Amino acid sequence: MRNAFIDELVALAAVHPQIALVVGDLGYSVVEPFADRFPDRFINAGVAEQNMTGLAAGMASEGYHVFTYSIANFPSFRCAEQIRNDVAYHQLPVTVVAVGGGLAYGALGYSHHAVQDYALFRSFPNLLMAAPGDPMEVRACMRYLVEHPQPSYLRLGKAGEPSFHDSVPTVSPGRWLAVSPPQAQPQASRTVLCTGATLALAMQHWRQAADPALAVHSLPLWGMGCKSGQAEQVERFAHVLSMEDHLRDGGFGSWLQEALCVRPDLLPRLRADALDPVVCGTVGSQAMLNELGGLGRTLSSFWR
Amino acid sequence: MSSVALARGIRARALKMVHRAKASHIGSALSISDIVAVLYGDVLRVRPSEPAWPARDRFILSKGHACVAVYAALAARGFITEDALDQYGQDHSMLMNHISHKVPGVEFSTGSLGHGLPFGVGKALAAKRRGQDWRCFVLLSDGEWGEGSNWEACLFASHHGLDNLVAIVDYNKLQSLTSVAKTLALEPLADKFRSFGWHVDEVDGHDHDALRRALAAVPRQPGKPSMLLAHTTKGKGVSFMEGSVEWHYRSPNDTQLAQALSEVAAGGPAA
């Protein structure tokens, strides 16, 4: 996902002179293609994320679309107030890019685990969440955000994630993307609705199940502003399982449940697959931590 | 209108607004009234009829709680009407008790400290990268220097040679509970800023000629951001408010307002 991000950013910056990249002294062997090609629009703000975010807002107020970039919690939790007050309140086009969503930096420890970020940012009224499920969705989200500049939070995985789309899909806030082959969709009565890199887990299970009654969807763009429209998408399925590499409380599944409050009759159709807080403070590989946190456990029973 | 007369008007208006709204922070507003008057009277390149004029100088009030002084200056310069000031702190008013970008002429909403300078750094950097000649002025409190984000911005501004950036410290030496010295001592403050790579001037923050001289020509030193340490008195111009911590939070009653307005009209407390 990191490489898809930088490739797409370079391509977009070539035709959008307002795009700038500000990094918090991270991105070695990732950000160089942008820095080399657009030195006037690249800034390493150093290990100073609050200033990085504040100055990004200042640049955005002068017409730039600024992407701030760092690992997991540093450009997000560290400067939550700058994002809330400077960026989102002023509705400035700053995209906060967090690399290593969920437990991608598993062995690096709790400081690098982003498992509460949805809870924080989905409570910001003017902030759009972007949690792509694969490199193609990264590119799709980037294109949407540049075409629709606004305060946004882009949560990336790390590197090496597989692609599940044949081409870059078109995404829009709140709209589910069919990821399992669309020709199977009419027969499907159950779907897994993923956000972020959990898409790989869902697709792995889906392939093993090989059941036409099962589908997988991704929702890469969501947030407080796009709850409406969820009910009619849920209504198409007898059962929907939300899936996220984030703690259950305040996360994506909770968001979907809130969105269905207008249709409480649909709530029994929902289940949620998310992480248990037992992962907090434990280190290991991403796969080991996801398993420890119970991610995929509900998915296994959901397919039966 | 001279800047001295403008400052007098700002003080009177600020007192009335705070009294009417039963709001706080009049001491902080009186502290910066002379600085704001010199900026809006003599220094800032702005067009009241065109608040978003691209070539304007940018002014950011980082100590957003002192906003009544800026609202009063904006009214005096014609950005907003004098009548609008009566809405300060009222239900649904755009004139919030911490400065709001919903008000024409205001660049940035603040209220949480430590945000104005990083934002101003971003603006100054944008101007530099695009070869634009406008300047960015940021007015901060002294207690605000407890915020680490300001020191981050200080490092960045000098590293990038932002000589189109001017930070002004309203150095009244009082915080909300007690003095700066007893809270988180700042001295030697000028030396700190110089060691961070800034050009530093120190002035009496109530001396209009000194303020004008320090702010007239930017950059003060090519290649370096400018810091103006403006030594001020909290509550300046009203005898019972000067140097008093309690007027960080209190608002004057009717009797106190009358006395304060009388002293301001006379140009300050009797000697």
Side-chain angles (χ1 to χ4, degrees):
Chain A
M1 285 196 190
R2 287 182 310 199
N3 292 336
F5 163 74
I6 203 70
D7 288 351
E8 194 65 32
L9 189 68
V10 168
L12 289 165
V15 291
H16 296 281
Q18 78 277 16
I19 289 177
L21 176 62
V22 185
V23 303
D25 201 38
L26 281 167
Y28 180 75
S29 80
V30 176
V31 299
E32 288 83 355
F34 187 98
D36 293 344
R37 186 154 172 199
F38 308 107
D40 284 349
R41 291 187 267 156
F42 175 78
I43 298 111
N44 183 353
V47 189
E49 292 85 5
Q50 293 178 78
N51 181 56
M52 173 178 76
T53 309
L55 79 87
M59 290 178 70
S61 74
E62 297 299 336
Y64 284 97
H65 182 166
V66 187
F67 289 77
T68 62
Y69 178 99
S70 188
I71 284 179
N73 298 314
F74 310 144
S76 52
F77 274 77
R78 182 60 175 263
C79 27
E81 193 179 62
Q82 279 79 13
I83 297 169
R84 178 183 183 270
N85 293 4
D86 304 356
V87 175
Y89 178 47
H90 289 83
Q91 295 187 277
L92 292 170
V94 173
T95 299
V96 177
V97 183
V99 185
L103 298 160
Y105 286 100
L108 297 189
Y110 188 68
S111 64
H112 286 55
H113 295 172
V115 291
Q116 299 109 332
D117 51 340
Y118 294 156
L120 175 64
F121 290 119
R122 79 177 182 84
S123 66
F124 289 11
N126 298 328
L127 196 80
L128 181 63
M129 312 276 286
D134 77 348
M136 291 291 188
E137 291 186 16
V138 171
R139 293 176 184 274
C141 288
M142 298 280 292
R143 292 176 192 181
Y144 181 87
L145 294 174
V146 170
E147 286 300 315
H148 304 83
Q150 60 187 298
S152 47
Y153 174 67
L154 176 57
R155 188 208 219 221
L156 301 176
K158 206 167 73 174
E161 294 86 355
S163 287
F164 299 102
H165 299 273
D166 295 332
S167 58
V168 178
T170 300
V171 294
S172 65
R175 191 167 71 87
W176 299 10
L177 269 178
V179 186
S180 53
Q183 60 270 26
Q185 298 300 311
Q187 304 170 55
S189 60
R190 293 171 176 248
T191 193
V192 177
L193 179 63
C194 304
T195 197
T198 53
L199 183 59
L201 277 173
M203 287 303 290
Q204 184 184 350
H205 279 72
W206 179 82
R207 283 169 176 156
Q208 289 168 356
D211 183 341
L214 308 177
V216 174
H217 288 80
S218 177
L219 182 47
L221 293 177
W222 55 285
M224 190 186 281
C226 45
K227 281 183 172 170
S228 65
Q230 297 309 302
E232 57 257 39
Q233 295 179 95
V234 168
E235 198 167 26
R236 292 157 42 204
F237 300 93
H239 301 283
V240 175
L241 176 69
S242 63
M243 199 164 180
E244 61 194 301
D245 53 349
H246 181 278
L247 301 186
R248 186 181 308 274
D249 287 60
F252 177 62
S254 306
W255 172 84
L256 192 60
Q257 288 172 338
E258 290 168 16
L260 284 198
C261 283
V262 292
R263 285 287 307 275
D265 58 304
L266 295 176
L267 280 168
R269 301 187 185 192
L270 293 187
R271 294 176 70 186
D273 203 332
L275 290 169
D276 185 278
V278 69
V279 298
C280 297
T282 309
V283 298
S285 69
Q286 184 176 15
M288 171 260 163
L289 287 171
N290 280 342
E291 188 176 349
L292 177 71
L295 192 64
R297 202 174 293 157
T298 310
L299 177 63
S300 300
S301 60
F302 183 74
W303 289 133
R304 294 192 196 110
Chain B
M1 183 191 293
S2 72
S3 63
V4 171
L6 178 56
R8 196 175 297 147
I10 288 172
R11 286 194 164 90
R13 263 300 187 176
L15 283 160
K16 290 175 187 170
M17 290 162 74
V18 168
H19 170 260
R20 181 185 173 95
K22 295 184 171 53
S24 304
H25 305 123
I26 185 60
S28 300
L30 296 175
S31 181
I32 63 168
S33 293
D34 295 300
I35 299 167
V36 171
V38 170
L39 282 169
Y40 277 93
D42 300 320
V43 174
L44 293 178
R45 187 173 69 190
V46 290
R47 287 181 179 170
S49 61
E50 193 182 355
W53 176 42
R56 73 193 182 281
D57 287 331
R58 276 61 163 170
F59 171 69
I60 295 159
L61 181 68
S62 193
K63 47 175 291 179
H65 54 282
C67 58
V68 284
V70 175
Y71 292 155
L74 290 171
R77 286 295 312 271
F79 285 90
I80 56 177
T81 65
E82 290 283 333
D83 289 347
L85 298 179
D86 293 336
Q87 295 302 307
Y88 169 71
Q90 307 301 312
D91 290 349
H92 303 296
S93 172
M94 67 174 178
L95 273 68
M96 304 174 192
N97 289 21
H98 287 79
I99 200 156
S100 169
H101 66 289
K102 316 266 167 119
V103 178
V106 175
E107 301 281 349
F108 186 53
S109 292
T110 55
S112 180
L113 298 172
H115 288 243
L117 190 58
F119 187 80
V121 160
K123 281 186 168 288
L125 182 69
K128 278 280 177 194
R129 295 271 165 126
R130 289 175 166 165
Q132 297 163 340
D133 72 347
W134 48 267
R135 296 90 46 91
C136 186
F137 297 80
V138 182
L139 177 54
L140 305 98
S141 73
D142 44 14
E144 188 175 357
W145 286 93
E147 297 284 1
S149 53
N150 282 332
W151 297 103
E152 293 179 6
C154 259
L155 284 172
F156 186 96
S158 59
H159 180 85
H160 288 269
L162 301 180
D163 58 13
N164 54 347
L165 176 69
V166 182
I168 306 165
V169 180
D170 170 36
Y171 200 6
N172 61 41
K173 286 105 185 151
L174 287 180
Q175 298 198 201
S176 72
L177 300 182
T178 183
S179 67
V180 172
K182 289 178 180 171
T183 308
L184 284 175
L186 291 173
E187 290 298 336
L189 189 54
D191 288 345
K192 284 187 173 79
F193 292 135
R194 286 191 186 100
S195 74
F196 270 63
W198 288 57
H199 173 86
V200 181
D201 289 309
E202 289 192 71
V203 297
D204 174 346
H206 303 301
D207 180 336
H208 287 229
D209 289 336
L211 286 166
R212 255 190 301 275
R213 280 195 298 275
L215 294 169
V218 173
R220 299 284 292 165
Q221 189 174 343
K224 286 189 174 187
S226 299
M227 182 70 66
L228 179 59
L229 284 187
H231 294 277
T232 57
T233 300
K234 198 158 184 170
K236 177 71 176 179
V238 177
S239 58
F240 56 91
M241 293 182 180
E242 286 192 354
S244 168
V245 165
E246 68 179 326
W247 292 98
H248 188 79
Y249 293 114
R250 287 186 63 187
S251 61
N253 61 29
D254 292 350
T255 305
Q256 290 165 330
L257 175 67
Q259 182 183 342
L261 289 174
S262 170
E263 292 183 6
V264 165

